[in-house]
Amino acid sequence: MTNQTRTASADELESIFQRELVTDRWAATETAYALAVRYRDLGDWPRSREWVQQCLRLLEGFPSDTEEQVATSRTSVGGVSLPTYLHSGVVQDRFGDLG
């Protein structure tokens, strides 16, 4: 993983996501969230929606009964701040209609 606080391009984040998807699905979920934020900030709504949906699909595979189960393992990915807890409710709250 690259420096977590350095601003990464969307292409770099997508490359990181592909590697993490094979090695660490929770990290990939966090990176999908970061990609949704990055594309939203760039004003690319279709790509942001695509990553919101990818994040939500990945979240379906994880338990979410306790705070410990939904706590993020990093504070940021590629310069994008992550929420303290990552679950479908947080994603829906942050992205609204994109979800």
Side-chain angles (χ1 to χ4, degrees), residues 11 42 55-56 66 76:
D11 287 342
L42 292 171
C55 182
L56 289 170
T66 67
S76 69

Side-chain angles (χ1 to χ4, degrees), residues 36 48-58 91 98-99:
S48 182
R49 178 177 291 111
E50 174 184 320
W51 285 103
V52 166
Q53 292 170 350
Q54 178 66 46
C55 182
L56 289 170
R57 278 191 300 273
L58 286 167
V91 175
L98 289 180

Side-chain angles (χ1 to χ4, degrees), residues 13-14 16-36 49-64 69-70 74 86-89 91-92:
L13 285 173
E14 287 192 32
I16 291 165
F17 172 81
Q18 292 302 326
R19 283 194 309 271
E20 290 172 343
L21 194 56
V22 175
T23 61
D24 184 343
R25 291 183 70 80
W26 182 253
T29 304
E30 293 175 346
T31 301
Y33 175 89
L35 277 156
R49 178 177 291 111
E50 174 184 320
W51 285 103
V52 166
Q53 292 170 350
Q54 178 66 46
C55 182
L56 289 170
R57 278 191 300 273
L58 286 167
L59 284 170
E60 288 175 1
F62 293 99
S64 60
Q69 291 172 326
V70 297
R74 303 175 280 186
L86 185 57
H87 54 80
S88 61
V91 175
Q92 292 291 340

